[in-house]
Amino acid sequence: MARKNIPLHVGFIPDGNRRWALNRGMGKEDGYSFGIDPGLSLYEICREQGIVEASIYCFTQDNTKRPDAQKRAFTDASVAFAFEIARRGAALLVVGDETSAQFPEILKTFRIRRGSGMKVNLLVNYGWEWDLAGLKNGGLRSSDVSRLDLIVRWGGGRRLSGFLPVQSVYADFYIRDEFWPDFEPRHFDEALSWFKRQDRTFGG
């Protein structure tokens, strides 16, 4: 649960990479690499703000239906980001179907949380149906991920897109219309200010 109106666990949906690239005359696949540096900036801001846990949507099982060039691009960006935040001391967990050929082999070591810093959960080749199917065997496949307090989405979409459906049940949802590669620190500052004004009664 959030303390002093600061969320303990924030989820991030960094959408709009392809539209950002198209607006600049690039191929759709070219936008993903421009999302890495904003992600690193956001990670550092979360640490400074005392956020205990962050979950970030990298790519879904549905995303892997996209053209090969896009799949390679978002996979490469996800791997690069994962290893850089691990290097910076994050307690990294990668959540996704590692039995699929779409899951990067090099990230399998992070299917168990590694590190002792701020908890970061990267959703890689993640699917909500895959996650919930774990209940047949006694628990969510994302059982090591705590309940979310706040979800911030870029790109203007007003939907969860299958993002951690169980952990999201009481999360407040904040939307930015800017595309993810245009991230600025004030976006998250404004999200936190907005969060402080919410009446979080959890139905009571």
Side-chain angles (χ1 to χ4, degrees):
M1 185 177 295
R3 82 289 188 215
K4 297 181 181 178
N5 295 320
I6 298 294
L8 290 178
H9 184 188
V10 185
F12 299 106
I13 303 177
D15 198 19
N17 299 279
R18 295 186 298 172
R19 286 172 287 165
W20 182 90
L22 287 176
N23 284 349
R24 284 158 177 75
M26 304 177 185
K28 289 182 178 180
E29 67 276 8
D30 296 326
Y32 298 109
S33 63
F34 288 92
I36 297 173
D37 283 345
L40 296 174
S41 296
L42 182 57
Y43 165 71
E44 296 295 346
I45 293 168
C46 285
R47 289 206 307 178
E48 292 168 5
Q49 292 284 352
I51 305 299
V52 174
E53 186 171 0
S55 292
I56 304 169
Y57 230 167
C58 289
F59 68 89
T60 71
Q61 290 179 321
D62 287 333
N63 294 154
T64 63
K65 300 171 185 174
R66 294 177 182 173
D68 287 344
Q70 292 182 38
K71 288 194 293 183
R72 285 193 300 271
F74 62 60
T75 299
D76 290 347
S78 299
V79 169
F81 180 73
F83 275 93
E84 179 56 23
I85 60 169
R87 189 190 69 81
R88 296 186 184 200
L92 178 60
L93 174 69
V94 176
V95 182
D97 183 4
E98 77 278 10
T99 67
S100 165
Q102 307 292 349
F103 189 94
E105 181 75 24
I106 198 169
L107 293 184
K108 286 186 176 180
T109 186
F110 294 111
R111 283 293 286 116
I112 298 173
R113 192 178 301 281
R114 309 284 182 183
S116 58
M118 173 185 146
K119 289 184 177 180
V120 178
N121 313 305
L122 299 185
L123 275 58
V124 172
N125 197 42
Y126 175 86
W128 66 269
E129 292 174 299
W130 165 86
D131 194 355
L132 296 180
L135 294 171
K136 298 175 184 177
N137 297 315
L140 289 172
R141 286 172 165 151
S142 62
S143 60
D144 290 333
V145 178
S146 69
R147 190 177 73 184
L148 285 148
D149 298 308
L150 170 67
I151 297 170
V152 185
R153 178 169 184 151
W154 281 262
R158 265 70 176 167
R159 58 187 177 275
L160 281 175
S161 299
F163 182 79
L164 294 169
V166 174
Q167 291 89 343
S168 298
V169 289
Y170 271 114
D172 284 295
F173 202 4
Y174 181 83
I175 309 298
R176 299 295 310 196
D177 289 326
E178 297 92 346
F179 299 143
W180 171 242
D182 287 328
F183 167 80
E184 297 178 13
R186 66 177 178 84
H187 298 169
F188 190 45
D189 290 341
E190 291 169 11
L192 292 178
S193 295
W194 174 87
F195 180 81
K196 291 177 182 179
R197 299 193 298 272
Q198 304 314 300
D199 183 15
R200 294 175 57 78
T201 63
F202 301 98

